[in-house]
Amino acid sequence: MSFNTTLAEHLNEMSTLLELTGANRFKIAAFAKAARVAENQTADLSTLDTKDLLAIDGIGKGVAAFIEELAETGEVTDLVSLREEVPAGLAEVLDIQGLGPKTVRQLWQDLGVTDRQSLAKVIDGDEILSLPRMGQKTIDNIKRSLTFASKSNQRLPLGVAARIADKLLERMRETPGVKQAELAGSFRRGRDTIGDIDVLVVTDKEELARAAFCEADDVLDVIARGETKCSIRIEVPTKKGRWKTDPGKKATIGADLRIVPAESFGAALMYFTGSKEHNIRLRERALKQGLTLNEYGLFPDEKGEKGSPQSRGVKPVASKTEKQVYAKLGMPVIPPEIREDLGEIDLEETPKLVELKDIKSELHAHTTASDGHMPLHELVQCAIDRGFHTIAVTDHSRSSVQANGLSEDRLREQREEIEEAKAHFGSKVTILAGSEVDILADGSLDYDDDMLAELDIVVASPHAALTQDPKTATKRLLRAIEHPLVHIIGHPTGRLINRRPGLEPAMDELIAAAVEHDTALEINSHWMRLDLRDTHVRAAVSAGCKIAIDCDDHMPEDFDNLRFGVSTARRGMLTPELCVNAWSKTKLHKWLKSKR
DNA sequence: GCCGTTTTCGGCCCGACTGTTTTCAGTCG
């Protein structure tokens, strides 16, 4: 595990333990924010000196000392003593829906609850009723929540959440009275995992909308059903492709419906799309301009007045569209994917990020020759149907035995088949003969250079030895990046979301080498991978590194994963200029040939 | 604990819903 990941875990643990001891809420938030900052740094924070640490937004004297102590000793004294004070199992009690720090603290100190088991025991007793604000309904709610998986572990991969979110959105749009409906939240931001699904609607038949939402397919539980907000919990299919839940565990995801007035739609969409941190920054900005921002609009800030501005009938200065609200805040429209408070607040104009429609080629795809489900002709036809100018055939190399990797003889035979397909499809699309060649554990490639030189395109990817230590992994990947015949590094870390962490190379070194050797790094669009991940893309883009967005297609529907790759790219602020798949045919092929 | 175009001290976003209350605390996003 990289230092930054370990650090983020320690900072998060610190924040949670402080919460359970009833510490100052701003202190709690400061550690949580520092954890997020640590996760988003590409430079190894253990190597920075105090001055550089303090220069990072969100890191002050306290956190800097925390980082330095962790780097030097592998542990942090303050954290260790908190661990002694707070029972280890209490954090998982805090993870239960509906239980916050105040209640958990009370359960712990008054009733001796130390983990979920002991909570389950006291919940049926009479003593629990003696706690303040604790009645039968609250107890029933806790009981119900106890049966669901913990909040923290249930973030779903983007692609799994997408199926549920798309269906829910369609259902709402088909509901009579609904004028407008959109998805917001982390789904709209395109995060690689989704905690819950936010749906916004404008309707003149509110009760119908509430009913359509609360009675949707696979709803397990209605948590809240108010005037403007409904909360439900939906059962997730336990299997989707190669993704499945842990045996015996039911996966669920929460979904919130917000019914908003048409004239507030833009403000509401902003409010429910931005990350918490992005929203706080916007509201602070509003206050500095003598305005106040909420989900109903941007209002003149009438200090001292009681109640919300909209409830007093104050007219907003902007509310109907996101564009209007951002404009009145003196900002360009910020693309949803980067509303994370990672520097976007200070942008002076809307960045031109790569879009789905910009993608004109697929450079990583498999056929039945290795482990794909599509014969060559079907794969090519899929690319034509998408309007791509180029499709690369990149079956697995010989060492990927489990994927029926091609021997050099079989790879040469495939060339003949490709020549035949070129003749058949003519000018409709350019077919490239390539390979997804294994990067072996030592960084050497799975075919001889003579073989690689015969190919139009080489995607080099790690498939085995994915538990190597960071140093070895860095060396291994650097060797592949520096190889003169390699065009693209496929899924550079080999991570599988929620399943395996993959390699943790020194990403800044890889990026520097990729720039120097004109090698592209891939964003693998499959929702189980999304590798490179957003933070890596961001670092790569700012270094001027070329990026490929590919689907690693094995079957026709894999082409649909492109939207996830593109949202990951946008989160990394990738522009079409640096995205090789967005290039014209001429430009792309010129680059490919430059390595031959 | 962090931070500064009113501040090095004193702030730190805003509203909905629920359940327990009878005016609001806790939780959530």
Side-chain angles (χ1 to χ4, degrees), chain A residues 356-480:
Chain A
L356 197 57
K357 67 170 171 59
D358 295 331
I359 304 297
K360 294 293 174 202
S361 58
E362 170 61 80
L363 303 176
H364 182 174
H366 299 269
T367 72
T368 46
S370 61
D371 62 347
H373 293 207
M374 294 175 283
L376 177 60
H377 275 236
E378 188 182 355
L379 170 67
V380 175
Q381 189 58 51
C382 281
I384 294 171
D385 293 346
R386 305 268 160 172
F388 291 166
H389 61 60
T390 298
I391 172 76
V393 181
T394 60
D395 276 306
H396 286 285
S397 62
R398 58 190 172 191
S399 286
S400 281
V401 179
Q402 77 292 343
N404 191 24
L406 276 61
S407 66
E408 297 199 349
D409 283 347
R410 284 183 61 213
L411 183 56
R412 289 201 169 93
E413 279 169 33
Q414 191 186 43
R415 287 299 294 267
E416 293 169 24
E417 201 192 336
I418 289 175
E419 289 308 319
E420 182 276 321
K422 281 182 180 171
H424 179 265
F425 287 101
S427 61
K428 285 181 187 161
V429 67
T430 302
I431 309 170
L432 299 176
S435 170
E436 183 187 15
V437 57
D438 264 44
I439 303 172
L440 304 177
D442 64 354
S444 64
L445 299 181
D446 200 17
Y447 291 129
D448 295 338
D449 286 0
D450 289 347
M451 179 77 251
L452 296 176
E454 287 178 37
L455 299 168
D456 301 321
I457 181 167
V458 172
V459 178
S461 316
H463 288 103
L466 295 174
T467 53
Q468 279 174 330
D469 65 274
K471 240 183 166 164
T472 314
T474 305
K475 235 175 111 188
R476 172 192 192 181
L477 292 166
L478 278 177
R479 208 174 145 190

Side-chain angles (χ1 to χ4, degrees), chain A residues 72-382:
Chain A
E72 277 163 31
T73 69
E75 215 30 273
V76 184
T77 331
D78 287 353
L79 182 56
V80 170
S81 53
L82 268 176
R83 282 195 197 119
E84 283 164 12
E85 190 184 335
V86 182
L90 217 52
E92 63 174 28
V93 177
L94 185 61
D95 261 350
I96 294 166
Q97 165 92 31
L99 284 182
K102 294 266 169 63
T103 318
V104 172
R105 220 167 116 71
Q106 206 112 46
L107 286 165
W108 166 36
Q109 302 201 322
D110 293 2
L111 300 182
V113 168
T114 56
D115 51 25
R116 287 196 187 173
Q117 284 75 31
S118 51
L119 172 64
K121 271 183 208 155
V122 304
I123 197 123
D124 287 318
D126 293 332
E127 247 188 327
I128 193 168
L129 277 163
S130 66
L131 295 183
R133 312 193 62 78
M134 185 65 71
Q136 196 53 51
K137 275 202 171 176
T138 304
I139 290 170
D140 289 344
N141 284 340
I142 297 171
K143 268 194 202 171
R144 224 166 28 180
S145 298
L146 251 175
T147 64
F148 293 130
S150 78
K151 279 181 289 194
S152 57
N153 292 330
Q154 68 192 15
R155 291 190 70 88
L156 285 182
L158 179 58
V160 178
R163 207 156 65 158
I164 298 163
D166 291 344
K167 222 168 105 181
L168 207 49
L169 180 64
E170 199 185 328
R171 182 181 172 90
M172 295 316 296
R173 285 187 170 158
E174 286 170 354
T175 301
V178 170
K179 311 279 183 221
Q180 256 178 306
E182 291 293 342
L183 295 166
S186 53
F187 188 82
R188 184 161 179 245
R189 299 203 307 279
R191 275 193 61 174
D192 53 15
T193 59
I194 303 300
D196 61 12
I197 297 167
D198 291 299
V199 190
L200 244 64
V201 303
V202 174
T203 178
D204 54 18
K205 294 189 170 67
E206 298 190 356
E207 185 45 37
L208 278 184
R210 284 190 281 266
F213 189 77
C214 293
E215 290 155 23
D217 292 338
D218 304 318
V219 170
L220 287 176
D221 198 15
V222 176
I223 298 158
R225 185 169 176 160
E227 281 287 303
T228 63
K229 177 187 165 183
C230 298
S231 258
I232 56 176
R233 186 147 284 283
I234 299 177
E235 181 168 0
V236 177
T238 48
K239 250 193 114 180
K240 180 180 191 287
R242 283 188 293 162
W243 180 85
K244 54 185 187 300
T245 53
D246 295 339
K249 253 199 177 169
K250 214 186 237 185
T252 68
I253 187 164
D256 288 340
L257 174 74
R258 312 283 181 147
I259 300 174
V260 303
E263 62 273 18
S264 304
F265 196 71
L269 198 53
M270 273 175 74
Y271 185 86
F272 293 114
T273 298
S275 74
K276 192 175 157 188
E277 294 79 12
H278 176 87
N279 288 347
I280 290 174
R281 293 295 292 266
L282 291 189
R283 294 196 285 266
E284 284 171 353
R285 192 184 172 100
L287 286 174
K288 275 185 197 149
Q289 300 178 14
L291 300 165
T292 176
L293 177 66
N294 62 31
E295 60 263 54
Y296 295 95
L298 185 62
F299 298 90
D301 186 20
E302 297 171 337
K303 284 202 166 61
E305 292 287 337
K306 280 225 158 129
S308 55
Q310 68 276 8
S311 69
R312 299 195 308 270
V314 177
K315 198 172 158 0
V317 298
S319 64
K320 189 146 189 176
T321 67
E322 290 190 326
K323 197 175 169 187
Q324 289 166 358
V325 178
Y326 275 118
K328 287 288 180 189
L329 285 169
M331 298 172 66
V333 172
I334 305 295
E337 293 88 350
I338 58 170
R339 297 183 194 171
E340 297 280 359
D341 185 24
L342 293 170
E344 75 281 3
I345 302 286
D346 299 320
L347 286 174
E348 287 180 1
E349 56 187 46
T350 303
K352 171 88 186 75
L353 305 181
V354 68
E355 295 176 42
L356 197 57
K357 67 170 171 59
D358 295 331
I359 304 297
K360 294 293 174 202
S361 58
E362 170 61 80
L363 303 176
H364 182 174
H366 299 269
T367 72
T368 46
S370 61
D371 62 347
H373 293 207
M374 294 175 283
L376 177 60
H377 275 236
E378 188 182 355
L379 170 67
V380 175
Q381 189 58 51
C382 281

Side-chain angles (χ1 to χ4, degrees), chain A residues 487-498:
Chain A
H487 294 98
I488 297 170
I489 303 297
H491 47 73
T493 75
R495 75 152 174 175
L496 290 179
I497 291 169
N498 289 357

